[in-house]
Amino acid sequence: IAGRGIANPIGMIWSGALMLEHLGHPEAAADVVAAIERVLADPLAPRTPDLGGTATTVELGAAIAAAVR
């Protein structure tokens, strides 16, 4: 999948949430995890191919970023 833009960004985003928690920002970490959960619970949200969809890494990442706001 290298260079094809189809990697699932959730692991990277979740690790960022873990870092926020480690740095003393548990509310921000919880907001990021909740955003991931909201996107995954939405059947119309973008999904990368490993999740059965056709979205790109950027599209799924953008959906999660939008859900944080």
Side-chain angles (χ1 to χ4, degrees), residues 2 8-12 14 17-18 21-22 28-29 32 34-37 42 45 47 50-51 53 56 58 63:
N8 184 331
I10 291 175
M12 179 180 60
W14 201 327
L18 292 172
E21 187 172 21
H22 175 73
V32 172
I36 293 169
E37 292 170 345
D42 181 355
R47 301 275 192 279
D50 64 311
L51 296 174
T56 66
V58 172

Side-chain angles (χ1 to χ4, degrees), residues 17 20-21 25-38:
L20 285 168
E21 187 172 21
H25 302 283
E27 297 87 9
D31 290 345
V32 172
V33 173
I36 293 169
E37 292 170 345
R38 276 194 294 279

Side-chain angles (χ1 to χ4, degrees), residues 5-7 9 46 48 55-65:
I6 59 171
T48 49
T56 66
T57 303
V58 172
E59 290 168 338
L60 180 52
I64 294 169

